[in-house]
Amino acid sequence: MTLVMGILNVTPDSFSDGGRWHTADAAIARGIALAEEGADIVDVGGESTRPGATRVDPGEEVTRVLPVVEALAGEGITVSIDTMRARTARAAVDAGARYVNDVSGGLADSDMARIVAELECEYIAGHWRAFRDTTDSADAFEDVVAEVKNELLQRVVAFQDAGVETSRIIIDPGLGFGKGPHENWRLLAHLDVVGSVAPRIVVGASRKRFVGAAIARDGVDDASPESRDHATTAITALCAQQRMWAVRVHDAKAARDAIQVVSAWQNAVDEER
């Protein structure tokens, strides 16, 4: 059954909920709540990856996430660290995180592959080409599905060459990272092709701009990220139907409910075969 990865931003400037869980106590309480609401994994991030975000000092990133990771892992919660820095990845895994979720696929830090190999942890490689200043500054793709597949394969091979076991590598097509609405929907429509690179895929569409554009009324998108939650849950259901490994979401309860409904439906179909 598709897993739920609950998003926990310990940042003041996330596009969706920046500042809401910025203190350690608030973040820890939110992480526990996400697990209680159905998150199988709580993904803790100390640096915003929204377009135009200013990079945080490496020491500050560690200071933000470490007490949260330690506390949640101490509660028996499975934790992922959302970071592009090998230093932060090492500190978080040492503190109890089981997954490193790197939206850059190792391109932002040349030490990441080596560190992940040493840590022997699970690694999520996101598709990414470069830092972007705005959401609209999409890369030029001639065939986004083929190019994302091939570029993710290159990242997988790079980590294999560094000594990371293939079974520990998970991929993420990087929805919204240098991609316009058309490219994002094309990737969602062809997850089976992208999935030929690795058997486990994380889909992170939650509250993103292209989701809002799809549900806009008269061409006007409600700018509130929370207004995109129902549409995000629809994507979650479709991902569960395709048996994706995990979805990365803000609303863990809605995602869990959608996945359980799809599972019950699939079980009923399977019984009749």
Side-chain angles (χ1 to χ4, degrees), residues 168-273:
R168 295 185 181 276
I169 302 174
I170 304 156
I171 59 171
D172 179 342
L175 300 174
F177 287 91
K179 304 170 185 73
H182 177 71
E183 286 81 15
N184 291 317
W185 291 115
R186 285 271 298 157
L187 286 168
L188 285 171
H190 295 284
L191 289 171
D192 57 331
V193 176
V194 178
S196 64
V197 172
R200 291 186 290 173
I201 301 177
V202 176
V203 177
S206 188
R207 297 182 177 177
K208 291 188 176 178
R209 182 179 292 187
F210 79 94
V211 177
I215 59 172
R217 302 295 190 269
D218 298 322
V220 179
D221 175 23
D222 183 338
S224 167
E226 290 86 351
S227 70
R228 303 164 185 166
D229 280 345
H230 294 312
T232 297
T233 303
I235 293 173
T236 290
L238 291 168
C239 286
Q241 187 179 48
Q242 295 186 56
R243 292 178 167 84
M244 293 296 104
W245 179 73
V247 289
R248 184 175 181 273
V249 297
H250 295 83
D251 188 338
K253 184 180 186 306
R256 172 56 55 207
D257 288 350
I259 291 166
Q260 289 180 322
V261 167
V262 171
S263 179
W265 189 318
Q266 289 173 332
N267 289 339
V269 171
D270 291 343
E271 287 174 3
E272 295 180 1
R273 289 177 176 169

Side-chain angles (χ1 to χ4, degrees), residues 28-105:
I28 292 165
R30 176 57 180 162
I32 292 171
L34 281 168
E36 291 174 345
E37 291 167 6
D40 301 288
I41 304 165
V42 175
D43 192 39
V44 180
E47 178 179 38
S48 176
T49 54
R50 66 175 175 81
T54 301
R55 296 220 68 188
V56 68
D57 178 81
E60 174 64 19
E61 184 185 17
V62 172
T63 298
R64 289 177 181 179
V65 301
L66 212 57
V68 181
V69 171
E70 288 177 338
L72 295 180
E75 292 289 331
I77 295 170
T78 301
V79 178
S80 169
I81 180 65
D82 178 6
T83 184
M84 293 185 282
R85 290 191 173 102
R87 170 184 172 183
T88 305
R90 179 185 287 283
V93 172
D94 287 345
R98 289 176 51 188
Y99 296 84
V100 173
N101 179 20
D102 177 4
V103 299
S104 81

